[in-house]
Amino acid sequence: MDFAELLTAYRERDVRVQALTGQMEAKAQNFHLKGIAGSLPSFVAASVYRNEGRNHLFVLNDKEEAAYFMNDLEALLPGKEIIFIPDSFKKQNSFDEINTNNILQRTEAINRIAHSHTRGELIVTYPEALVEKFVVPAALKQQIIHIQKGEKLDDQFIIDLLAENGFERSDFVYEPGQFSVRGGIIDIFSFGNDLPYRVELFDDEVESIRVFDPVSQISQKMIAQVTIVPNIQTQFREEHKASLFHSLSADTMIWCKDARYTFEVIDQCYAKALDWYRLVNSENMLPAEHPFREHPPEIMLLRTDVLLEEVSKFSWVEFGLQSHFTGAAEVEFNSAPQPLFNRNFETLIAHLKDLRAQRYRIFIFMSNTRQAERFHEIFTDLNAGVEYTPVIPRMQEEGKPSSTIAQGFIDHDQKVVCFTDHQLFERHHSFRVKS
């Protein structure tokens, strides 16, 4: 069995996945996946997604867990773009500085949700990101500027429109919220894209639109149309903002590592924001560009009681040790995390031989081809004689390997072993998020 066949087996023949999918379709309210270990929740989630294709929101305990979970999904669903929603600040539980890149990602996410005409969006986030309100899609659509190749465009009109939407005119654009005008060229750095756009006019007609690198000024690609998104933090009134759940379709499935912990963190984050705001505001130390200057945290953030009312309308899947929701349908898993071998390969080989004798199928997830070769050399030198399938990340267009799973596991129900080389070699495994 190769890796593709393993994923097919989980999707089509795993009785737990089938039971979960069936109960979702029957609109059972909440679920608790008991005894599920390592990255097995990612396998189950990817399989359920492929079976019924609705929207799914995954809430992990913190940003690091969320990033690893996103990378798991990327490894198990090649080619599927996962939406990652961070909080807006540079440091966790610190409200001093805004992270422009994080605001860009939040804007991209809500813009994608607002303009999604298909089912099957996969969104990954964590409690600190959920406490912040989002612009509701209807309000965002009204503020978005559309530019299309071949259309008539008055340059003064677009300059005025950008200024009205909070964009700052500068000589060159290098961060979201800026635009520049040089002759018939208008550069715009939207909050809805991670690179700026260059719109070239011939008289009053849009001749070309391209995405370009603001550092090298080299064009990345030509496009036929573009949507310019303003800063969602500062350009919308209180009545235009609500929780993320307000923007999700009613059939979205919410997956959560620990719902009780999530609500506790949201409650603590709200209280910390209020304390910080009162302190800096009383001493007149609130930064000039801080979003709390436009709207205090009581307006920008969500109280837990308001959030609890909104989330009650959705079905939840919890996959931690405890279940917050009473009466949740339980789905039992007999699995275990990848054992520790302390880099003792003789012990590892003996363990794998024992599992193979019990007809377990063994997969070892490698970080890259070199690691796979290294692993093969070690097993050959030790005369391991163990049958296993190496899983090597595919190469992406930019020449970098794709993600691999974060945590190994043993699934006793399926008789499947999924180990990771970084755990076997006790090497730190870094997550990847858009920068």
Side-chain angles (χ1 to χ4, degrees):
M1 174 184 283
D2 62 19
F3 181 53
E5 291 172 329
L6 172 65
L7 295 180
T8 300
Y10 270 104
R11 175 187 174 187
E12 297 180 356
R13 298 189 293 275
D14 189 298
V15 294
R16 304 159 303 182
V17 170
Q18 297 302 317
L20 186 57
T21 304
Q23 290 184 73
M24 284 180 180
E25 292 172 348
K27 295 185 169 33
Q29 184 69 9
N30 300 311
F31 308 88
H32 182 210
L33 312 186
K34 297 185 67 177
I36 194 164
S39 287
L40 184 53
S42 307
F43 278 73
V44 174
S47 301
V48 169
Y49 162 74
R50 286 202 178 275
N51 279 345
E52 47 83 75
R54 74 174 76 194
N55 297 329
H56 297 265
L57 170 69
F58 303 93
V59 184
L60 283 296
N61 285 349
D62 55 43
K63 185 175 183 177
E64 183 174 295
E65 276 192 11
Y68 281 125
F69 194 90
M70 178 186 70
N71 291 165
D72 279 3
L73 293 178
E74 290 171 336
L76 300 174
L77 298 168
K80 174 63 181 173
E81 186 176 353
I82 314 298
I83 301 174
F84 184 76
I85 300 181
D87 64 287
S88 297
F89 301 95
K90 282 194 174 181
K91 296 179 181 178
Q92 191 168 334
N93 289 322
S94 175
F95 306 96
D96 297 74
E97 285 189 85
I98 293 294
N99 185 318
T100 305
N101 181 62
N102 286 5
I103 294 175
L104 177 62
Q105 288 187 64
R106 290 175 68 86
T107 308
E108 285 181 338
I110 200 65
N111 186 42
R112 172 95 166 263
I113 294 168
H115 290 84
S116 178
H117 303 296
T118 59
R119 287 161 54 87
E121 295 292 2
L122 301 179
I123 308 164
V124 181
T125 189
Y126 52 96
E128 289 86 352
L130 288 177
V131 74
E132 298 179 53
K133 291 182 181 178
F134 290 78
V135 176
V136 297
L140 182 63
K141 286 180 180 179
Q142 291 179 358
Q143 295 291 97
I144 285 176
I145 302 169
H146 298 274
I147 303 175
Q148 188 168 339
K149 182 181 176 181
E151 73 175 0
K152 299 292 184 181
L153 184 67
D154 181 88
D155 56 355
Q156 190 57 51
F157 170 77
I158 194 66
I159 289 170
D160 293 342
L161 192 57
L162 288 167
E164 288 174 12
N165 279 276
F167 284 80
E168 178 186 351
R169 187 167 181 172
S170 59
D171 293 334
F172 300 96
V173 300
Y174 55 88
E175 65 179 10
Q178 295 178 328
F179 74 98
S180 69
V181 181
R182 300 184 307 282
I185 298 175
I186 304 173
D187 292 344
I188 310 169
F189 207 143
S190 167
F191 277 90
N193 194 53
D194 52 1
L195 288 174
Y197 301 111
R198 175 159 291 161
V199 180
E200 297 188 40
L201 302 178
F202 182 76
D203 289 334
D204 61 348
E205 182 178 311
V206 178
E207 185 177 42
S208 68
I209 307 172
R210 64 189 73 207
V211 179
F212 72 97
D213 186 318
V215 177
S216 67
Q217 296 291 305
I218 296 174
S219 296
Q220 302 293 307
K221 62 179 177 179
M222 303 287 290
I223 53 178
Q225 59 184 358
V226 65
T227 57
I228 309 299
V229 182
N231 188 341
I232 62 172
Q233 296 289 85
T234 59
Q235 295 301 308
F236 295 88
R237 298 193 301 272
E238 175 185 357
E239 61 267 26
H240 293 152
K241 295 190 175 184
S243 80
L244 175 64
F245 297 93
H246 183 86
S247 302
L248 300 176
S249 59
D251 68 342
T252 301
M253 184 62 62
I254 315 298
W255 300 66
C256 191
K257 177 74 173 290
D258 188 331
R260 184 174 294 130
Y261 176 79
T262 293
F263 298 134
E264 288 175 357
V265 171
I266 289 172
D267 202 37
Q268 293 166 7
C269 191
Y270 183 87
K272 286 179 181 177
L274 286 181
D275 291 342
W276 178 84
Y277 174 75
R278 288 164 183 159
L279 176 63
V280 297
N281 203 38
S282 66
E283 299 179 1
N284 199 28
M285 294 174 60
L286 192 63
E289 301 298 322
H290 201 284
F292 288 174
R293 186 173 286 277
E294 291 285 334
H295 304 292
E298 295 94 331
I299 293 175
M300 292 285 291
L301 307 181
L302 286 157
R303 298 196 317 271
T304 308
D305 58 331
V306 175
L307 198 58
L308 282 169
E309 184 177 346
E310 292 206 13
V311 302
S312 64
K313 304 169 187 175
F314 294 88
S315 292
W316 286 66
V317 180
E318 292 187 88
F319 51 94
L321 296 177
Q322 59 183 350
S323 176
H324 172 77
F325 300 98
T326 57
E330 293 186 349
V331 182
E332 296 278 355
F333 288 78
N334 181 15
S335 65
Q338 177 173 329
L340 293 174
F341 297 100
N342 298 315
R343 303 184 69 175
N344 186 322
F345 281 85
E346 286 86 357
T347 303
L348 168 64
I349 290 167
H351 185 70
L352 294 180
K353 283 184 175 180
D354 181 58
L355 291 169
R356 281 297 299 150
Q358 300 174 59
R359 305 183 68 82
Y360 280 71
R361 292 157 294 180
I362 299 171
F363 298 83
I364 300 181
F365 287 75
M366 309 293 182
S367 302
N368 49 53
T369 303
R370 178 67 192 99
Q371 283 296 102
E373 293 170 352
R374 180 185 179 193
F375 205 89
H376 176 74
E377 291 167 1
I378 292 173
F379 268 40
T380 300
D381 291 344
L382 295 175
N383 296 314
V386 175
E387 181 183 347
Y388 69 93
T389 301
V391 181
I392 304 171
R394 72 192 189 287
M395 297 303 292
Q396 298 176 322
E397 291 181 359
E398 60 270 28
K400 297 179 181 178
S402 60
S403 303
T404 186
I405 66 171
Q407 295 180 306
F409 60 88
I410 302 174
D411 185 348
H412 296 294
D413 295 321
Q414 281 275 22
K415 288 204 166 184
V416 165
V417 176
C418 291
F419 284 175
T420 69
D421 71 325
H422 57 266
Q423 287 175 286
L424 293 174
F425 287 109
E426 297 183 359
R427 189 182 67 252
H428 175 69
H429 174 60
S430 299
F431 58 79
R432 299 177 183 177
V433 294
K434 185 185 290 186
S435 61

